[in-house]
Amino acid sequence: MNILSFESSCDETAVAIVRDGREIVSSVVFTQIDVHKLYGGVVPEIASRYHIEKISQMTEECIRQSGLTEDQLDAVAVTAAPGLIGALLVGLNFAKGYAYARNLPLIPVHHIRSHVAANYLAYPELKPPFLAMIVSGGHSHIVLVKDYTEYEILGRTRDDAAGEAFDKGARVLGLPYPGGVHMDRLAKEGNPKAMQFPKVHFKDAPYDFSFSGVKTAIVNYVHNAKQKGEEFSVPDLAASYSDAITGILAENFLRCAREHHQKTLVIAGGVSANSMLREKLLAGKSPDQKLFMPPLSLCGDNGAMVGAQGYYEFQAGHVADLSLNALSAFSIENQLC
Ligand code: KG4
Ligand code: ZN
């Protein structure tokens, strides 16, 4: 089954064709980073406008690269929630139009579910149940993936997402947007034990995260140092800050896995590209736990992950009609249709 899939929930316009949920036939991603960089963050109206400008030509390009004819496409999948509402609506309406014009089933896909499904493209042997940690610019969740379309949230952020914390920290260090990848690079040159950043744990919810404290701490540190005219090492700060964030993520995820007797662990989302996080998880997991980490090309937003998850949504009968709407917020546990 060939699924034409669309992703436009934030600042990437992405289209892909995926076969049977596991094989990328073609995938094109246009990132708007260079535009939003000028503003230090994603400007929703600009994101929507670029999606509108790009989506049609990218669809043509994706189909061309696949070598398939349009008659060989069997369904359309699209990110319907959560995300920037104007941005989501562009992909959703384009997908609806395509599905209607060619009389194809329309499959709504949850963005966080699709991040998890990115791993299905890289690891044919990976099947639920497993424990997943999804860490991106907008989300930090520990989720029990009971089946391909059945989830239970065991931990979540109480405030900022891990990616937001990386981006904010990078910004005060003067690094370009989005800062996670630059922070990762600089951290390799610094001493992670040079500074102590606060790590928050909740007694009543041991798998929940909070990153607002560590974020405020780096902002205050840099402002104070600048006011006093004191020198500080940017690589040391980047390393210590990354150590605090990845420490919280790895500790909570591994603790959750231990306490829930999970042997198969999966990470996903933009922050799952972080090298310190990967090292900590590999070092901290027990020998009988298997850890799946997506290739870097599938960590960030892309259309292929939508086609992967879309396949399993279709198998479960989750097909929408043309009244389908986009939603800016929606739990991974709930069904879009
Ligand atoms: O999954 P994603 O592409 O978009 C959302 O759904 O949010 O995640 C983007 C986030 C950004 O905050 C970006 O800075 C972060 O992922 N990121 C990283 C790395 N690469 C991307 N954070 C830490 N280390 C990285 N190597
Ligand atoms: Zn994402």
Side-chain angles (χ1 to χ4, degrees), residues 170-204:
R171 193 171 171 172
V172 295
L173 294 181
L175 305 173
Y177 177 85
V181 67
H182 303 286
M183 184 80 95
D184 193 354
R185 183 178 35 81
L186 266 181
K188 288 179 186 145
E189 299 160 24
N191 172 9
K193 302 295 168 212
M195 289 110 187
Q196 278 276 321
F197 282 103
K199 277 194 204 168
V200 176
H201 290 285
F202 298 98
K203 273 213 180 85
D204 58 329

Side-chain angles (χ1 to χ4, degrees), residues 227-304:
Q227 269 174 358
K228 291 181 191 157
E230 286 172 5
E231 297 265 316
F232 57 86
S233 155
V234 174
D236 279 356
L237 260 182
S240 304
Y241 187 67
S242 300
D243 185 58
I245 296 175
T246 58
I248 299 166
L249 290 171
E251 280 163 30
N252 289 10
F253 186 44
L254 293 174
R255 176 173 177 181
C256 185
R258 233 178 12 252
E259 293 179 353
H260 285 78
H261 313 291
Q262 293 296 308
K263 300 282 179 241
T264 307
L265 313 184
V266 169
I267 57 171
V271 179
S272 71
N274 186 269
S275 51
M276 204 184 271
L277 176 64
R278 289 178 171 227
E279 279 162 24
K280 285 199 163 93
L281 291 173
L282 282 171
K285 77 174 188 66
S286 61
D288 62 342
Q289 285 173 327
K290 195 155 171 32
L291 175 63
F292 292 90
M293 304 190 282
L296 298 190
S297 60
L298 291 173
C299 289
D301 292 345
N302 63 85

Side-chain angles (χ1 to χ4, degrees), residues 57-309:
Q57 73 192 65
M58 291 189 61
T59 305
E60 280 175 24
E61 178 61 17
C62 180
I63 295 170
R64 196 190 60 73
Q65 283 186 17
S66 74
L68 300 177
T69 65
E70 290 186 83
D71 288 342
Q72 291 173 291
L73 301 175
D74 303 302
V76 176
V78 59
T79 311
L84 300 172
I85 192 68
L88 284 167
L89 282 169
V90 177
L92 185 70
N93 282 311
F94 193 88
K96 274 188 190 179
Y98 196 95
Y100 179 70
R102 301 204 61 89
N103 198 22
L104 295 175
L106 176 69
I107 310 162
V109 174
H110 189 283
H111 185 60
I112 306 305
R113 290 187 183 192
S114 68
H115 269 301
V116 174
N119 284 280
Y120 300 146
L121 297 164
Y123 304 106
E125 71 277 27
L126 177 64
K127 291 183 176 70
F130 54 78
L131 189 71
M133 178 164 72
I134 306 103
V135 274
S136 71
H139 306 272
S140 303
H141 278 129
I142 296 176
V143 178
L144 194 58
V145 181
K146 297 175 173 174
D147 207 338
Y148 286 108
T149 62
E150 205 187 321
Y151 306 79
E152 183 186 344
I153 299 173
L154 299 179
R156 69 183 87 215
T157 181
R158 300 274 182 106
D159 40 56
D160 304 310
E164 262 174 283
F166 269 114
D167 294 344
K168 178 70 186 184
R171 193 171 171 172
V172 295
L173 294 181
L175 305 173
Y177 177 85
V181 67
H182 303 286
M183 184 80 95
D184 193 354
R185 183 178 35 81
L186 266 181
K188 288 179 186 145
E189 299 160 24
N191 172 9
K193 302 295 168 212
M195 289 110 187
Q196 278 276 321
F197 282 103
K199 277 194 204 168
V200 176
H201 290 285
F202 298 98
K203 273 213 180 85
D204 58 329
Y207 318 132
D208 277 7
F209 308 109
S210 167
F211 296 109
S212 60
V214 67
K215 208 175 81 173
T216 308
I218 196 169
V219 172
N220 289 345
Y221 186 96
V222 172
H223 285 177
N224 282 341
K226 281 187 178 164
Q227 269 174 358
K228 291 181 191 157
E230 286 172 5
E231 297 265 316
F232 57 86
S233 155
V234 174
D236 279 356
L237 260 182
S240 304
Y241 187 67
S242 300
D243 185 58
I245 296 175
T246 58
I248 299 166
L249 290 171
E251 280 163 30
N252 289 10
F253 186 44
L254 293 174
R255 176 173 177 181
C256 185
R258 233 178 12 252
E259 293 179 353
H260 285 78
H261 313 291
Q262 293 296 308
K263 300 282 179 241
T264 307
L265 313 184
V266 169
I267 57 171
V271 179
S272 71
N274 186 269
S275 51
M276 204 184 271
L277 176 64
R278 289 178 171 227
E279 279 162 24
K280 285 199 163 93
L281 291 173
L282 282 171
K285 77 174 188 66
S286 61
D288 62 342
Q289 285 173 327
K290 195 155 171 32
L291 175 63
F292 292 90
M293 304 190 282
L296 298 190
S297 60
L298 291 173
C299 289
D301 292 345
N302 63 85
M305 66 187 194
V306 180
Q309 182 59 26

